[in-house]
């Protein structure tokens, strides 16, 4: 018998704002951050690692919320938890007092994601399998049991979910072999951040082509002339056989989105991503009708399965970009994959952040093998940032993710990374040069001690 | 010139779970709580008070988030802030790093509500007017400038909003006189909490009738037989001329909601409140079609204006129950009132919580005088709990809110209340009898100091 003895949650922040990595029309100065959860057990060789992703200030709120979310795990048997991964999810999720702060959205849901990602990592390590393998080895009944289907029965019943999974059972091995040979296709956002110069954009587009990418994504939405010029440069470099995607990061109202996107139609974008508020199901549906054949993509801010259900019901999306650290971990993600398969919408997960690539590779593999059985219209994001902080970083070659082989969810960071980038006391942030940034963003620890801030 | 010198945020919790006050099918043991903001100025006679409402655990997260949200106010001139209440809202709201944790939802949005509620209280005190009077004295242009209309232009343009407000300008005084005489009609939820015995339910229904209420609300959704019996008792006591509302607090999937509500149709409820996930616009629309003529009400968990926009566009609501401490204060609330008026949906604000009655009385008065000009189908919640903690409590007689006269937003609590119910160190919570509850809910201060919890 193994017991969870303690939970550490670290506030890890990387100073990405200094290089404009991650810059877009809405998020000009993000510091890629993780509320990083470590589940310790009384077996020194066994821990679980997970995180949620934020862009700086407020990461401390997710850390504090994760501490509360993880509380019920302490003292529990690992064997019992991994034997009922649906049960532990429902238990953590259903704290009714915390639920009031959502439900199922914002800080408390990001914190649930962080904690349950660590639980799933632990479960995969116990099984000595990479997470994707743990999932594809589950029976349809087991998968439907761990999936959070609450509030979804008007779109997908348990029986429909089972039928869908059973259909693909006999041919799973053949798809695993295919991915083992070819990898899972990905695209790169690394070239197109808004804060990059034209020269850097041109160079990075060329590098992406040289590396075998067939899809490239650019940020748009701050200035029309800039968008036109940057898209011209991108098409010059990548030609017209590769796919070009554009991403507005929620800056437009619905009528403005329609008008702006249509002025860029000559560049034949495959999709416009986040044209408006991520909560606006009907708005996305209206944009989609008005900009076709340009597709509509959204989901990195898709707060929960109920939002995605409506996106599918309203035919609002051509591409579903669920986020592995915003949805309530595998339990909620599997539910979204099942709905997407029923409604015929390809899932192309969001991965622009720290560690998200490491997580989504497992999910995309699982989707192809067990749920959708298709690669049509599917391409998973890859951003070439910050992988050096992970013990088992994702491997991308020739525009494809290679199958991860190590046990777990690939979520473990190096101890040296935690020591350096913990906020505000890690060696990076406590250095004098980081003092201004640290002052901008008071930690909860400081704030909660005082419960007060002032000029005096 | 007056300056904001400091901000205090208090974690105030009341042990309402001990008496089952506030109990319903989803929330069995809430401790009504407030993340309570005090804006101090260098004028000792001038402060601003505001809060958001939660039901216990996680209130500390809202406190910590409110500290971050309020940071930019410190050192600022009060005169400049109250002269541009739209500007300060947009400034606080648009912190792009915090925005990632929403946007506009969950803990960071509750915290924005708490801080901006205090700013509006301050503005009304500076003007020496109750908040409702500050609002009804604004010109249409001023109101549209403070309203957050972002993402709404496909449903309501600025010009439409102006036209709507201008229509009612000439007749405002007549409606003020009417409310001054009759008050604003309210209903009571105090009778119908799920944890009350049949005898207590019967007695409280009779008391409500005796006090002049013409609407009574009961919680349902935990058990069908119980619902049937409790509704029978209520109808026996209140008769068939009074209105009976029922509230399921989100416990059902859509098909289950439709079936369950229709089995209670013989009691002729005026509305079914929160039949399913509060995020489910299309689900509410489906329920509404299927249970008519029973109306559908929702909104206490309505996370932001974009959700309400869609509720109106999809014809999902008969009654809009916006929440004064969940939406981003007056700036976002005015936007929802304007949309509701355009779409012809009556707004009946949620007030089941601590201090919410004190806030919503101002909003309902403003709505009647300046926005909707109608009392048809409008009735505002009143719950007779915890008013003794407020310096200027709302006054309800003969089933109606009386016009508040004191300057401000009626949000100030007594210092003695803060001393007693601050969590975990107030005199109530630090008493030995409260130790178990306190242990259940570690504060952020404890959690953030350690960033770790464990059995050892």
């Amino acid at each position: 018998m193994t017991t969870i003895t303690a939970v550490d949650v670290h506030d890890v922040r990387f100073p990405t704002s200094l290089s404009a990595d991650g810059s877009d029309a809405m998020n000009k100065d993000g510091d890629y951050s993780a509320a990083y959860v470590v589940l310790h057990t009384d077996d020194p060789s066994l821990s679980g690692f997970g995180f949620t992703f934020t862009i700086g200030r407020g990461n401390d709120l997710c850390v504090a919320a994760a501490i509360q979310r993880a509380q019920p795990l302490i003292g529990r048997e690992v064997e019992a938890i991994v034997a009922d991964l649906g049960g532990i999810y429902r238990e953590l999720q259903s704290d009714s007092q915390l639920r009031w702060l959502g439900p199922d959205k914002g800080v408390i849901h990001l914190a649930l994601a962080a904690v349950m990602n660590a639980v799933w990592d632990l479960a995969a390590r116990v099984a000595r399998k990479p997470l994707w393998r743990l999932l594809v080895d589950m029976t349809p009944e087991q998968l439907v049991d761990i999936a959070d289907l609450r509030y979804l029965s008007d779109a997908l019943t348990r029986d429909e979910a089972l039928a869908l999974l059973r259909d693909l059972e006999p041919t799973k091995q053949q798809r695993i072999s295919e991915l083992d040979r070819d990898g899972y296709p990905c695209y790169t956002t690394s070239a197109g951040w808004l804060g990059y110069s034209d020269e850097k954009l041109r160079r990075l587009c060329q590098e992406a082509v040289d590396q075998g990418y067939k899809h490239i994504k650019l940020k748009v939405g701050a200035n029309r002339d800039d968008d036109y010029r940057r898209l011209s440069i991108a098409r010059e470099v990548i030609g017209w056989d590769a796919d070009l995607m554009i991403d507005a990061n929620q800056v437009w109202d619905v009528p403005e989105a329609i008008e702006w996107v249509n002025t860029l139609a000559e560049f034949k974008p495959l999709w416009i991503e986040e044209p408006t508020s991520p909560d606006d199901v009907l708005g996305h549906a209206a944009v989609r009708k008005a900009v076709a054949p340009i597709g509509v993509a959204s989901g990195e801010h898709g707060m929960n399965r109920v939002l995605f259900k409506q996106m599918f019901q309203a035919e609002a999306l051509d591409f579903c970009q669920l986020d592995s650290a915003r949805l309530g971990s595998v339990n909620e993600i599997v539910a979204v994959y099942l709905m997407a398969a029923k409604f015929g919408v390809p899932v192309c997960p969001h991965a622009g952040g720290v560690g998200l690539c490491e997580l989504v590779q497992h999910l995309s593999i699982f989707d192809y093998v067990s749920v959708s059985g298709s690669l049509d219209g599917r391409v998973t994001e890859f951003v070439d940032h910050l992988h050096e902080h992970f013990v088992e970083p994702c491997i991308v070659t020739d525009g494809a993710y290679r199958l991860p082989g190590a046990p777990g969810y690939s979520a473990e960071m190096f101890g040296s990374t935690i020591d350096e980038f913990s906020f505000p006391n890690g060696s990076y942030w406590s250095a004098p040069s980081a003092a201004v940034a640290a002052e901008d963003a008071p930690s909860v620890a400081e704030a909660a001690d005082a419960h007060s801030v002032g000029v005096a």
Side-chain angles (χ1 to χ4, degrees), chain A residues 25 28 194 219-231 251-252 256 260 263-264:
Chain A
K28 291 177 178 55
L194 209 57
K219 301 291 184 176
V220 297
N223 176 290
R224 280 177 202 239
D225 293 340
D226 289 348
D227 287 354
Y228 198 91
R229 194 184 63 253
R230 288 160 47 79
L231 287 175
V251 293
W252 299 314
E256 192 184 10
W260 192 309
T263 66
L264 300 175

Side-chain angles (χ1 to χ4, degrees), chain A residues 26-316:
Chain A
M26 184 67 84
N27 308 294
K28 291 177 178 55
D29 61 349
D31 283 329
Y32 279 9
S33 302
Y36 178 66
V37 174
V38 183
L39 305 177
H40 297 283
T41 75
D42 53 7
D43 173 353
S45 70
L46 181 68
S47 302
F49 305 91
F51 57 85
T52 190
F53 166 66
T54 80
I55 62 170
R57 279 185 295 282
N59 198 49
D60 45 343
L61 301 171
C62 294
V63 168
I67 291 274
Q68 296 195 34
R69 285 293 198 191
Q71 196 83 13
L73 294 175
I74 294 166
R76 298 280 278 270
E77 268 181 50
V78 171
E79 292 79 3
I81 285 173
V82 304
D84 185 12
L85 289 158
I88 194 67
Y89 167 84
R90 283 186 292 275
E91 180 182 337
L92 299 191
Q93 183 209 28
S94 65
D95 180 310
S96 70
Q97 294 189 5
L98 290 180
R99 190 181 185 281
W100 187 267
L101 309 180
D104 295 349
K105 61 178 69 72
V107 168
I108 56 152
H109 206 54
L110 294 165
L112 179 69
V115 173
M116 281 304 305
N117 279 345
V119 169
W120 278 98
D121 181 70
L122 184 70
R125 286 167 191 271
V126 168
R128 300 180 191 282
K129 295 176 181 179
L131 181 86
W132 67 265
R133 173 68 78 177
L134 178 72
L135 293 177
V136 305
D137 285 350
M138 283 183 166
T139 66
E141 289 73 16
Q142 287 174 319
L143 279 170
V144 169
D145 283 345
I146 62 98
D148 182 355
L149 300 179
R150 189 171 197 182
Y151 294 134
L152 306 184
S153 62
D154 53 328
L156 179 79
T157 65
R158 184 183 158 88
D159 286 345
E160 287 173 319
L162 281 172
L164 206 147
L165 291 164
R166 283 178 187 140
D167 264 5
L168 291 183
E169 276 282 286
T171 50
K172 286 198 295 197
Q173 188 49 53
Q174 152 191 338
R175 283 184 297 280
I176 295 172
S177 305
E178 188 189 328
L179 291 181
D180 200 33
R181 185 188 65 219
D182 301 334
Y184 192 99
C186 62
Y187 72 88
T188 180
T189 304
S190 304
W193 302 112
L194 209 57
Y196 288 177
S197 68
D198 287 359
E199 290 64 37
K200 187 165 181 180
L201 171 68
R202 186 182 295 274
R203 175 169 55 79
L204 290 173
C205 282
Q206 188 59 53
E207 283 177 18
V209 171
D210 295 344
Q211 286 161 18
Y213 289 103
K214 305 209 165 10
H215 305 76
I216 286 187
K217 190 165 84 183
L218 260 62
K219 301 291 184 176
V220 297
N223 176 290
R224 280 177 202 239
D225 293 340
D226 289 348
D227 287 354
Y228 198 91
R229 194 184 63 253
R230 288 160 47 79
L231 287 175
S232 303
I233 292 171
R235 274 294 181 208
E236 256 177 64
V237 178
I238 70 170
W240 293 86
D241 289 334
D243 278 312
L244 184 61
M245 293 90 106
I246 56 175
D247 183 355
N249 290 90
Q250 316 170 17
V251 293
W252 299 314
D253 270 35
V254 171
E256 192 184 10
I258 291 168
E259 204 244 316
W260 192 309
V261 171
N262 280 330
T263 66
L264 300 175
E266 66 182 277
F267 299 105
K268 297 195 188 304
L270 176 64
W271 75 50
I272 171 65
E273 182 171 332
E274 290 202 307
T276 188
S277 162
D279 307 330
D280 198 348
V281 173
L282 302 177
H284 279 78
V287 171
R288 181 168 180 257
K289 265 193 196 155
V291 305
I294 299 168
V296 167
S298 188
E300 75 184 60
H301 268 90
M303 59 188 173
N304 60 34
R305 67 205 177 280
V306 177
L307 183 88
F308 284 105
K309 177 183 78 167
Q310 296 177 83
M311 287 283 192
F312 298 137
Q313 289 173 319
E315 301 182 0

Side-chain angles (χ1 to χ4, degrees), chain A residues 14 32-34 51 53 324-325 351-361 385-387 390 394 409-411 413:
Chain A
F14 301 97
Y32 279 9
S33 302
F51 57 85
F53 166 66
S324 57
V354 57
L356 298 180
C357 297
E358 275 64 31
L359 302 186
V360 300
Q361 56 181 343
H385 288 161
L386 304 170
H387 301 287
F390 289 82
C394 63
Y409 201 175
S410 306
M413 290 190 206

